[in-house]
Amino acid sequence: MHAEASTSIFDYCKIEGVKNVWSGGAITINNFSKVEILNSTIRNSSGLNGGALNVLNSTLTIRNTIFKNNGTISRSNYGSPEGGTINARNSNINFIGCIISNNATFGSSGGIITVGGTLNIVNSNIINNEFGFPNVDLKTVTISSTLVKIYNSIIWGNRRSSTYTQITNPSNVFIYNSCIMNGSSLAAAAYVNCTEEDPMFVDAENGNFRLKAESPLIDAGTQEIPSNLFPEVDIAHNRRAMGKNVDIGAFEHIEPTLYIFAPKTHPVNEVLNAEGLLHLANATSWSWDFNNDENEDADTQNAAYTFTEKGIYTIRLTAIDELSKTFTVLHSVNIMSTPIADFKADTTASNRIVNFTDKSENEPTQWLWNFGDGNTSTIQNPTHHYTQDGTFAVTLTASNIAGPHTETKTSYITIKRIPIPAFSVDITEGDAPL
């Protein structure tokens, strides 16, 4: 994609497998005053310079976006390709809440190369990018005449062969509250509250760059960031900050949570299926206790159980993760039998109005009344106004998740008009007796 205009926004885009023999594998941005790439993924793309993006004379803000497995190509007579992820010239670039991983280049900088302009990197991960092939310099973030500020970010594991260099030309680089591999050797213009400790990713080998609970990067970030750059949410759209302070990196740490997905009401003598989920962690064992008798009923992630008696039961699920941490969650389920419908009326002989009361057993949740005169109701305890004289059968169907049951009382209600006394006389005045 190539464009020359003033403003453009890419939101929730997925760009994959784009091959470009020129610069900018996925997108070339030229002379834009404002471009935003939001909540997107750009992967497996390649170009001469900038495996994912080639940016010229533009202002670009990238939020909550993943760049993975992009790379430059080599063409004879076109020099050494640069920027496995992005090649920027005389541009102002903001990376906020991004992950840049496993990108590669034949030439300089598998991650980001900038010449001129500004570069801000906020709460982003630049990880495991490959730079060059034999006899080519290793560079992660290459800067030339560019003002660079890095906040709350992780730059780690970027390499060629056994050599690690995370940032080149760092004299105009200001780094705050970040985790930089070999960072103290950079001689950056500012290197404040930074660490070179292991970030302790959950599973970096398989691309899970969330932080483990014992990571030194949790609550270690700074909120002293220009307001237009501060990330309100992380790359997974979790609120910043979840703890005492904002975390370092693209993910805000959230403790793993164990869930049970199962119905809250269920029929007796029918199989209940339950699913377990350990969110943000990998479970190595599962244990279900369905009837709260402290005996294991199943040892798989998803389980089935049949309750043979009605009642309210507490299901207990226990899971253990890869760090041998135990999680337990409870789930209440009401095991129900089919209702036994019954009812009564406050009077069975009336001139017009009758109040009915539901007397059904086994916890019905729905009611259908038929009053025998063509009228119905779904109220549990209805009042009905008969408009005709006669004798009427009344039917109630009571239902719940286990099924319906119907009770009919024939000739139950008798409606009779109340006599109104009336008489006449032929003499209305005179001497007694008339």
Side-chain angles (χ1 to χ4, degrees), residues 132-149:
F133 286 84
N135 303 318
V136 178
D137 261 352
L138 166 69
K139 304 176 180 70
T140 304
V141 178
T142 301
I143 301 122
S144 178
S145 303
T146 304
L147 175 62
V148 178
K149 293 187 177 181

Side-chain angles (χ1 to χ4, degrees), residues 233-265:
V233 296
D234 71 358
I235 195 167
H237 293 275
N238 296 308
R239 178 177 54 85
R240 299 266 192 192
M242 296 295 289
K244 297 178 181 178
N245 197 7
V246 64
D247 297 342
I248 294 174
F251 289 99
E252 190 74 5
H253 176 71
I254 302 175
E255 283 294 316
T257 305
L258 182 62
Y259 296 96
I260 292 175
F261 295 97
K264 293 185 178 296
T265 58

Side-chain angles (χ1 to χ4, degrees), residues 258-261 273-279 281-288 290 298-304 317-319:
L258 182 62
Y259 296 96
I260 292 175
F261 295 97
N273 293 303
E275 176 185 352
L277 173 66
L278 183 56
H279 183 54
N282 296 318
T284 58
S285 71
W286 305 85
S287 179
W288 294 87
F290 279 93
D299 61 1
T300 55
Q301 179 176 358
N302 302 326
L317 172 61
T318 301

Side-chain angles (χ1 to χ4, degrees), residues 207-371:
N208 186 343
F209 300 123
R210 294 180 180 275
L211 302 176
K212 293 180 180 178
E214 58 270 32
S215 170
L217 308 188
I218 295 173
D219 294 337
T222 178
Q223 299 191 42
E224 295 182 5
I225 300 172
S227 59
N228 63 313
L229 299 178
F230 187 82
E232 297 294 336
V233 296
D234 71 358
I235 195 167
H237 293 275
N238 296 308
R239 178 177 54 85
R240 299 266 192 192
M242 296 295 289
K244 297 178 181 178
N245 197 7
V246 64
D247 297 342
I248 294 174
F251 289 99
E252 190 74 5
H253 176 71
I254 302 175
E255 283 294 316
T257 305
L258 182 62
Y259 296 96
I260 292 175
F261 295 97
K264 293 185 178 296
T265 58
H266 194 73
V268 69
N269 294 320
E270 292 189 17
V271 175
L272 181 147
N273 293 303
E275 176 185 352
L277 173 66
L278 183 56
H279 183 54
L280 300 180
N282 296 318
T284 58
S285 71
W286 305 85
S287 179
W288 294 87
D289 177 5
F290 279 93
N291 53 5
N292 204 26
D293 62 358
E294 299 185 356
N295 293 319
E296 183 177 82
D297 298 307
D299 61 1
T300 55
Q301 179 176 358
N302 302 326
Y305 190 82
T306 300
F307 293 91
T308 58
E309 296 182 5
K310 69 177 183 177
I312 297 176
Y313 294 86
T314 299
I315 301 173
R316 178 186 297 270
L317 172 61
T318 301
I320 301 175
D321 71 3
E322 296 171 314
L323 302 175
S324 299
K325 184 175 181 179
T326 300
F327 301 84
T328 299
V329 64
L330 304 177
H331 177 84
S332 180
V333 59
N334 188 357
I335 301 301
M336 308 181 78
S337 296
T338 303
I340 300 174
D342 192 16
F343 60 92
K344 72 174 185 178
D346 63 342
T347 179
T348 56
S350 172
N351 62 331
R352 287 292 178 262
I353 297 175
V354 181
N355 298 307
F356 293 93
T357 302
D358 170 46
K359 303 293 286 184
S360 303
E361 299 179 8
N362 295 339
E363 301 176 86
T365 56
Q366 293 180 310
W367 300 265
L368 177 60
W369 297 83
N370 187 322
F371 300 113

